[in-house]
Amino acid sequence: MSLANSPKLLKGGLVVLTPNGSGVSRSIALQYNPDTLTRSYQVQGSGGDASSGRAQPYRLKGPAIETFRLDAEIDATDHLETPEAHASTVAHGIAPQLALLESLINPSVDQLVSLAAQSAQGMLEILPPEAPLVLFVWSKSRVVPVRVSEFSIIEQAFDPGLNPLRAKVSLGLRVLSSDDLGFAQKGASLFISHLRGREALAAQATNASLSTLGLNGLF
């Protein structure tokens, strides 16, 4: 039995917005929070090399490109314990949840049909359909616009009809910065809020003394 005053466990997940960011299309909560979340950065800098004979001051052209990587577990066991309340799981296993994640990386059938119709009409310039804006949510203090850059599924168990019952999903998410989106976009304001939050956290870190580094002073 859980205690009444025990903290509520938040779920990580994804929120799918409409392409212009004006509303929520879908929200996807991870069934189980992954044990690890890998973050990597590619620095966007210029200068600092000595190829011209004299090193130039190193400059940061824009925000570093941040990437998240995580493995999510999806399991039908809990739902199958109460089959009367989860008819979809009984009929399809976890296939609906997997299909929902797959929709993040595929245009819709309607969009494909529209592109084919435009091509058949002889249109010279056909713009690919704009993908929805996806937000990675890892607590209320970490909400960032992302693009799914890597996606793989390992299906690990099946029912008699070969519907998947358990799977591990690996996601690679590239954070979209204000450089990518432009400041007028809704996603850009969310990125700036994310970056401002990181700066606020950095300000709370304890400053090490120079003596800790074996120095008496620099000037």
Side-chain angles (χ1 to χ4, degrees):
M1 179 181 296
S2 61
L3 299 177
N5 61 350
S6 59
K8 180 181 178 181
L9 179 63
L10 297 179
K11 300 281 190 179
L14 301 166
V15 175
V16 183
L17 303 183
T18 54
N20 60 7
S22 62
V24 175
S25 177
R26 299 293 298 265
S27 58
I28 305 170
L30 301 178
Q31 186 177 6
Y32 308 106
N33 287 333
D35 293 330
T36 60
L37 177 66
T38 302
R39 300 163 55 212
S40 60
Y41 292 89
Q42 180 183 344
V43 180
Q44 299 297 296
S46 64
D49 59 70
S51 58
S52 61
R54 183 176 64 180
Q56 300 295 317
Y58 187 65
R59 303 179 187 278
L60 297 175
K61 298 188 297 183
I65 298 174
E66 184 177 7
T67 302
F68 294 103
R69 287 183 174 82
L70 59 95
D71 292 330
E73 303 286 342
I74 304 176
D75 197 318
T77 302
D78 292 344
H79 284 182
L80 292 178
E81 290 180 351
T82 54
E84 65 283 353
H86 299 96
S88 177
T89 304
V90 174
H92 307 290
I94 60 170
Q97 291 97 311
L98 298 179
L100 179 57
L101 290 171
E102 291 164 20
S103 70
L104 299 176
I105 58 172
N106 288 310
S108 69
V109 171
D110 288 343
Q111 289 172 328
L112 292 175
V113 170
S114 176
L115 289 176
Q118 293 176 59
S119 178
Q121 293 168 6
M123 295 187 64
L124 297 178
E125 184 177 0
I126 301 175
L127 291 176
E130 186 175 357
L133 180 63
V134 179
L135 307 178
F136 175 58
V137 180
W138 194 260
S139 82
K140 64 181 181 180
S141 62
R142 187 152 32 170
V143 179
V144 288
V146 296
R147 176 186 297 134
V148 179
S149 57
E150 297 178 32
F151 182 55
S152 65
I153 300 172
I154 300 176
E155 298 181 2
Q156 299 172 315
F158 305 88
D159 67 11
L162 294 183
N163 295 304
L165 297 178
R166 186 172 67 250
K168 181 172 76 171
V169 176
S170 296
L171 283 172
L173 306 172
R174 182 195 187 281
V175 175
L176 298 176
S177 71
S178 50
D179 281 357
D180 300 311
L181 299 168
F183 272 88
Q185 293 285 340
K186 173 66 175 177
S189 64
L190 291 170
F191 172 78
I192 293 298
S193 295
H194 165 65
L195 201 59
R196 184 174 286 116
R198 304 304 294 177
E199 291 176 351
L201 284 175
Q204 296 183 39
T206 303
N207 192 37
S209 65
L210 291 178
S211 61
T212 303
L213 306 176
L215 300 174
N216 295 324
L218 292 177
F219 305 103

